Structure formats: C-alpha cells, structure tokens
Amino acid sequence: MKKYLVLVIVVLSVALALPYKGRAQAPGDKLYIAYKNGDGYFPLCVNGKVAPIYTGEEEYPGVMRAVKSLQTDITSVTTTSPQLLSGKISNSKTVILIGTIGKNPLIDQLIQQKKLNVSGIEGHWEAHITQVIKNPLPGIGQALVIAGSDKRGTIYGVYDLSAQIGVSPWYWWADVPVAVHKNLYVMPGKYIDGGPAVKYRGIFINDEAPSFSGWAKEKFGGVNHLVYEKMFGLILRLKGNYLWPAMWGNAFNDDDKLDPVLADEYGIVMGTSHHEPMDRAQQEWKRYGKGAWNYETNGEVLRDFWKKGIENMGNKETIVTVGMRGDGDMPMTEGSNIALLEKIVDDQRRIIADVTGHNASKTPQMWALYKEVQDYYDKGMRVPDDVTLLLCDDNWGNIRKLPKLNEKPRAGGYGIYYHFDYVGGPRNYKWLNTNPISKTWEQMHLAYEYNAKQVWIVNVGDLKPMEFPISFFLDYAWSPDKWPAKRLAEYTRLWATQQFGKRNANEIADILTLYTKYNGRRKPELLDQNTYSLINYREFENVVNDYCKLKNEAQALYKKIPSQYKDAYYQLVLHPVEACANLNELYYCAAKNKLYATQGRAAANIMADSVKELFKKDAEISQYYNKVMSNGKWDHMMDQTHIGYTYWQQPPVDKMPDVTYVDPAKMPQMGIAIEGSAAWWPDEKSKAVLPGFYPGQPGHYIDVFNRGQGAFNFSVGTLPPYVSIEPKNGNVTTEQRIWVNIDWKIAPKGVSSVPVTIVALNGDMVTVEATINNILPLNTTGFNENNGYISIEAAHYTKAINGTSAKWMVIPDYGRTLSGVMPSPVTVKSQIPGNSSPCLEYDVNLIDTGTMSIEAYISPTIDFTNSKGLRYAISFDDELPQMININADKSEAAWNKDVSNNIKMLVSRHHLNKPGRHVLKYWMVDPGVVLQKIVINEGGEKPCYLGPPENYHLLK
C-alpha cells in the first residue's frame, strides 16, 4: 500500500509541476482524448469513476494481456482502476468494449446491426477502429468500442488508447513519467487506422555484450522471459510486430522455454538472425551440434538439427530464416557453389513441409542477402517465389540492393535489414546513438519506394540508447507517407512532446536533432585527436564549441524540468550530449597537447592535465548512467568501451590518448603561432602570413604563448585604422589569443598587406603579415571566393531548375554540415544532363582563373540498382557537363574511407579563362544521389575533415 501511495504522490506532483497535453501513440496521430466534457463525449473517467472494460472470453491471449496493460495504464493516469468484465455484459451506463472481428460476439453483433462500420479495416492486416457508439447494446447507454481486424489490430487499438491518455511506449524502458488526470473523455467520431505499410516491422537485439547482457544478468538473472516480456510490450506499443532475439551467447528458444511461448501469446512474430537458419540459434549448434558446420560433409546431422528447430517452432508465428552462412556469421567455405546453396534451401523447405504437414509456402520464410550471400544472388542463385528476399545495408546504413522497378512482384516480397549498431570493420559502433533520423528516412524512403516493404528489421544493439531512432524506424514503417522529409523536424518535436509534454518540446527536439547530426559526422569510436583540423578553419575548435554550447543548453534545460522527468531526460537527451561533448573535447585537448609540445608551449602541460580530467569525466558520466540515474535501474548499459581503438575491434578497457609533458625554460620566452600553420616563430624561418582577409568572412588569430616559466608582457605595434587588434597588449603566463579584424567600410580597395608586429618587453619581436583582399564587394549576388576556394552548402542554391518528371528536394538537417539535396521522386528515370534537365545553379564570383577542381560532397550511397553506378554531372556556365560516377571505385579501401567519413568526395577538373561571375551547375543524372556540399578549389583549400566553412554569399 505504501508503494501505491508513493506512486500516486509522484504522478500527481508531475501533473502539478508540468501542464500536460494529450499525447498520441505515434507522433502525428489525431488526438481524441479531452479533459473537459463535450457533446457526445464518452466519459472514460470522471471524478474517480472509471468506465469498466469488457472483452470476450474467447479473445486472443495477447489481446487479454493488452487489456490488462490498459487497466494498469488507466490506473496510473486516473489513480482509479477500471473493472474488467467478461462473459455476459451487465447493465452499465458506459463501457469500454474491446474485441477482434470474428472473435468477439458483441463486436460482431454491432457490425451485423450496422452500429459499427468496419469496412475500413475488415480484412486488413493489423487494422483497428476506435469509436464512441450510443446505445450499442441493451442496457448500455454509451460504449467506447475498440475493434481490430485481427489479433494485433486489436492490440494496437488498445495501446493507442494507452498512449492517448498519456502513457508513453517508453514509460518503462526510458522511465517516462505518467501524468495524472481525474477526468478523461473520448471525443465522438471514428478513429480508423487501416494498417501498416510494411507488413513485418521489428528490431534485432545484437552485439549485446557487455552492456545489455550485463544489465539483464544483474536485474533479471539473464536474458530470459522476464526481459523479453518487457521487450514484447514495448514493440507492440510502438506498433512493431517482429523480433530477432539476442544471440551473443544466447539462444531464445533454448535458454528459457517460456520465451517462445510468451512471444506467441503476446503476438510477437519471432525470427532468427540472417545467419541462423531454421529457427535455431548459433548457440544451439554450439551446444548440440556434432561435426562441422558444413553441408557437403555433414548434411545429415545438419538436417536433423534443423528439423528439431521446426518441430520446436510448432504453430507459433515465425518467419523462418533459410539458406546458410559459415559458422559464427562468417562467409561460406571457399568454393561453395550456387547449386549447393540452392540444394540447402530445397532441403530446408522439404523439412518445413514434412514437419508442418503443409506446403512450405504456407510458412513465412526469409533469405537474407547479407554480405557475400548477395553475390550468390547476383550470380544467379534463386529461391522459391514465396520466400522473402531480405535485402541488406552495408552495416553502416547504406542499402546495398533494391528490387528493379519493373521486376515481376514476388509472392514473398522484399525486406530490409538495417543497422543502428554494428560490430565489424572499419570500426565497431556500439556505444551511443549515432543515427540521425534524416539519414534513416532517406534510405528507408528509397526502400519503400522501390517496393521493399514485406519486412523491415533493424539492428539496435542493446536497445538502449537507441530509443529515438527505434521509434522513428517503426513509425515510418507503419506510415511512410505521413512523414515526408519536410516533416522530420515536426516528428522530432512530437516525439519530444510525447515523452516530456509541450512546454520544452521545441528545445528538446533541437537538441536531439543536433546531437545526432554531430554524432553522425563520424562515429565516436572512430574519433581521435587527428579527426578534425586543429590549425585550418578553426575546425576542431568550432566542433568542440558547438558541442559544448549544445551541452550547456541541455544542462540548463535539465535544471529547469521537474524532478520526475530528470531520469527520462538524462537518458534520452542529456547523456549522449554530455558524453560526446566530453569525448570531442578530450580529443581536442589531446590534439592541442601534441601541437603545443612540438612548439614548446608551457600550455602543453595544461592540455595534458585536461586530457586526464576529461578521461576521468568520461568514466564518471558512464558511472552516473549506470549507478545513479533511475536508482541504478540501467546498471551496465554504459559498460561499452569506446576510447582507445587501434583497429576495428573494441579495446578491452578504455585507454586514454597519450600525452606529452614539456619542461619549460626557467625564464619566460615568447612564441608566436598563427591560424593556418603548425609552425611557430621565431623558430620558423619563413615569413609568418595569416590566411587572407576577405569581406564578409571572419577575422583571424595570432597566438602569443610562453615557452618558459613566469610571465612576460607584450604589445602590438601601430596599425592602420582599418585593422583592429584585440587585445593590443597583455601579460602572458601561458598563452593569449589576439584577434585581427578588418573594418571593410574604410579598408583600401584591391589587395594590400599590413605588418602586425608583436613585441615582448625583453625585446623579442615577431612580425606577422596580414593580406587584405578588398576586391569583391559585399553586395555582389552569389558566393565570393576566399583564400583560393569557394565552399557552398547544397541547399543554398541560386536557382533550382526542375524537370518535367523530377524536382529537387531538400532533406533538412541531413548530413555532416547543413542538409542534403536530392532529386525526387527517387524512382524517376535517369536523365541526360543539359538543356532543360534538372539542375541546381550556384552563382559564384571568382578572383582567379585557370584550372580548378570542383569537389562534390556526396552521401555514401551504394549503387542499389546494381548497374554501373549512380551518377551526377557538373559544369560551369555553358560548358559540356562532366558525368561523375559516385560508385566508380568499388575497392574495400574506398568503402572503408567513405563510411568512416560518412561522405564521398568526388573531384572534377575545370578550366576558366576569365574571373568574375560564373554559374556552377550541378545536374541530376540518376536518382538516389544526395548532394551535401560543393567546394571549388582554386588551389587555396587547406586539409580538414568537414570541408571549408561556407563562404560569404548573398542569395537573390
């Protein structure tokens, strides 16, 4: 009783602290819950009196479980538990009537009496209707009817009501609080969900050691039915229906005999991963298999092993994986041929038919074209038409193959196996969410439009901390048409609203969008002190500053939100921001330590100490997540190592980057470093020259640093009035940054040079040259050249020229810097560039002439058409467009580079004879190519990771 009272107090205080608005199960669904009465409204709960719930005695067990969950959910929201009725329904003013068509006599009676029109759902897969009906049955004044076309349709209708009254699907898995309302009404009308666009929609728990497995062992005694019951409920609340269970040292059907029984009872369709055929886990072969995992030499043993899997499956809803890979998810032995693999599938189907007593086509089956298996398919291997072909990404979120648009439809259709987590080359990525939903949208949009819509399954690693992308993946699978690219920001905001209410939803959505963008640039496991440039474009500094700014905003919001929301907010929002801001700063300080040590800066030692502190902080952040947040409920979920990788596999423990300590001179010594150079003066004998100054561009810096102990004073010599220095003098113990800026209103026209002289009190002196390029005025339309390059974000085109069948689409918040632009629809035929075909035009203003390169930053899309590669074309002015194949280099080294950098950079060469205004034209050739950025390099571009920051520009 004490626990119940505590719960009531907590949820009441949440409601009082944070004004609550209704939430829908899937962001974007129409709300039908009200908190004040209206004409024809159904009183779900009024002043502590809750309508009873009725369902038939013959209803599916999964529906009964959902109904009992609804009873608990209503109790959580209203603090009053509704009565559950079955059998003959007694006189009641109001009732919640729940049932499946053909399974619930009262539902069928309402249909026969034409009081309930189910034409919008009957015969559909997993559809449901929610409707308020007056005088539905004798003695009943008003009923809230939830009817499903089938078992899961009813379950989804039930959980939709749970979400509508304010119970997030993540209430248990992310500790999202439930707010209390004494009065709940259902608005009149028909609320129909006609079923999903993708038939099977699920998640794969994988790579689950050490985090998920350690957590499950501590909290549940292992990965058993107690864990899976929580997972089944989550999947159903998210309108998923499919699961590949954990398989690292685990065997779902063998470890706990209740696992498969309860999965079927809940209504979850089970499967095994892409390399575990015939409903048997790899671990089962390790436990019971005899001999080699080799069909040529050990076929009889394997057939018996597989037969047992189908016997154990029985009538439970399952998609059976067919085919065969090598043991341990490895390629088949060299020399395996198509004939042998086709025989394996034929024999497996014969086993299925023999055990089930039905034609094999009656049992759903799937063949995963994973890694080298796709090669077998491409070389001609085929499986029967009723087998679903599960197409795969490259483990890094880039789909490898899609059906041809003109192909004859398969009875089994096509599916997609996608990744939010991966163990393998070029690097594991398991620690945190690095999956912007814009990237997921772009690839799964391709899949859907190319008719891969039978099965969507995504590898989610430990499940936590992938909550946000899991929600989006399953919501998008249910209704792709609801979420075009232009609504992705709205989706994020609505998801934030679902978890935290409206008050802070916009801020939270911005944080979610930015942190996933930042993490998507490069997986945290791939980061090190060499990732970003420390000296060019202030790149590393800006990356760290942006992340720290985001961290500060997230922490400020954490302080503002009610205490009941803090655990949910920390795990869903703040933790990944804090952890990755800290990690980026760690590597930034390590990079500075390395540079400073070569320059002899006394500050090198400060940077070394900072690395140690930040490394310690990383462990503290994980410790808080594991031990303190939610009172240790998620202990071990942040056990994953992530610092100190030396190759693809994770390090056994986190290893701090190496640091160097310097021995400063006994007396202070002035050193000078400048933006754009790793050298230091007066040691360097060549002239110190800052990057050029151009109108509209930011200024540049000079670092005055101490190479010794103690301190020294410095001052800057007299300068022209149009050159500003801040500060002009100072006392330096370790280092002081001087900013040089130009007042363009009074700067001389043309190119001029100004010496900036820094003098120490002891007489040491260094002169730095500042070159002022006042050639292109600020009011010139287009992008102005700067230091021998022009950098352009793809979405900042001067003009988008659409074709008759294709137009340009911006994907907001996509890619590494701003957004992506691609042709739409993605099924449009290839175009011949030129004349009136689709192109993007960018006005540019050049100072130089001659040969230059155009670098197109293209998303690392794979040629999913399996033809000769995806192409775009590029040209200046009226020159003949150059055709560029983004998939020309098919080497493993190129792929490793592309996915590690999360970009392809394609280069073309061009020659211009005159300076001034030109029009750069980017032409569509093939659909599916996403442009993120363009850099015109006239010889001045410096090495960096993200490409130079965008140049000053004035758009029409």
Side-chain angles (χ1 to χ4, degrees), residues 472-741:
F472 178 75
F473 185 88
L474 295 176
D475 282 339
Y476 190 68
W478 185 272
S479 183
D481 292 339
K482 183 190 291 184
W483 300 113
K486 64 183 179 182
R487 291 193 68 196
L488 293 180
E490 181 186 359
Y491 178 89
T492 307
R493 177 177 55 79
L494 290 172
W495 190 84
T497 301
Q498 186 184 54
Q499 318 316 321
F500 302 105
K502 280 189 175 181
R503 178 179 292 180
N504 301 305
N506 288 338
E507 289 178 80
I508 291 171
D510 289 344
I511 294 168
L512 292 171
T513 299
L514 279 176
Y515 103 70
T516 51
K517 172 183 275 292
Y518 294 164
N519 280 359
R521 289 170 171 169
R522 191 172 184 86
K523 307 295 186 185
E525 292 86 346
L526 276 162
L527 289 173
D528 61 27
Q529 55 267 45
N530 302 309
T531 299
Y532 298 107
S533 176
L534 194 60
I535 60 173
N536 295 322
Y537 312 116
R538 302 200 289 276
E539 183 182 48
F540 217 148
E541 177 184 344
N542 288 334
V543 165
V544 170
N545 287 345
D546 287 346
Y547 228 136
C548 286
K549 179 176 181 287
L550 188 66
K551 177 191 70 174
N552 292 338
E553 291 171 357
Q555 288 174 336
L557 186 54
Y558 178 80
K559 293 176 182 178
K560 287 167 50 180
I561 63 172
S563 59
Q564 296 85 356
Y565 281 84
K566 289 188 186 296
D567 285 335
Y569 179 84
Y570 188 82
Q571 58 199 283
L572 294 176
V573 184
L574 181 55
H575 172 260
V577 178
E578 276 191 339
C580 286
N582 186 79
L583 185 70
N584 278 270
E585 189 174 2
L586 169 78
Y587 287 127
Y588 176 52
C589 290
K592 290 173 75 174
N593 169 257
K594 182 179 178 181
L595 175 65
Y596 287 8
T598 64
Q599 296 174 339
R601 296 198 197 194
N605 297 343
I606 296 175
M607 290 300 104
D609 290 342
S610 295
V611 170
K612 291 181 178 180
E613 287 301 312
L614 292 162
F615 183 73
K616 179 182 175 184
K617 179 68 174 177
D618 177 89
E620 291 171 351
I621 291 170
S622 295
Q623 174 79 358
Y624 182 87
Y625 191 108
N626 284 338
K627 303 293 186 181
V628 180
M629 183 191 78
S630 302
N631 295 316
K633 177 180 176 180
W634 303 108
D635 193 13
H636 298 293
M637 276 295 189
M638 280 301 135
D639 284 357
Q640 181 60 52
T641 57
H642 48 275
I643 303 175
Y645 275 80
T646 56
Y647 70 120
W648 69 267
Q649 185 57 284
Q650 67 194 40
V653 295
D654 288 323
K655 182 180 181 299
M656 189 188 82
D658 293 334
V659 295
T660 301
Y661 282 87
V662 299
D663 187 12
K666 299 299 182 184
M667 300 298 292
Q669 295 179 6
M670 184 178 76
I672 299 294
I674 61 173
E675 182 176 341
S677 175
W680 67 277
W681 286 264
D683 178 72
E684 175 65 32
K685 302 310 176 189
S686 62
K687 187 183 296 186
V689 182
L690 286 167
F693 291 80
Y694 291 78
Q697 296 296 134
H700 300 296
Y701 68 80
I702 300 170
D703 279 346
V704 183
F705 60 86
N706 193 353
R707 302 185 75 247
Q709 301 176 33
F712 65 87
N713 293 322
F714 77 92
S715 62
V716 179
T718 304
L719 293 167
Y722 54 84
V723 179
S724 68
I725 295 288
E726 184 62 38
K728 294 179 180 179
N729 53 63
N731 180 267
V732 177
T733 303
T734 53
E735 56 188 346
Q736 173 67 58
R737 178 158 289 183
I738 299 173
W739 286 100
V740 184
N741 284 285

Side-chain angles (χ1 to χ4, degrees), residues 231-264:
M231 198 176 296
F232 299 155
L234 172 69
I235 291 170
L236 292 168
R237 286 176 186 265
L238 292 170
K239 291 200 286 195
N241 60 7
Y242 186 39
L243 175 66
W244 287 358
M247 45 74 63
W248 273 27
N250 299 294
F252 181 82
N253 295 320
D254 194 55
D255 291 340
D256 184 339
K257 297 303 181 183
L258 282 175
D259 285 350
V261 174
L262 288 172
D264 194 59

Side-chain angles (χ1 to χ4, degrees), residues 265-281:
E265 187 175 302
Y266 270 84
I268 298 296
V269 182
M270 292 303 302
T272 47
S273 72
H274 56 91
H275 67 99
E276 298 176 303
M278 301 295 277
D279 205 34
R280 299 214 73 174

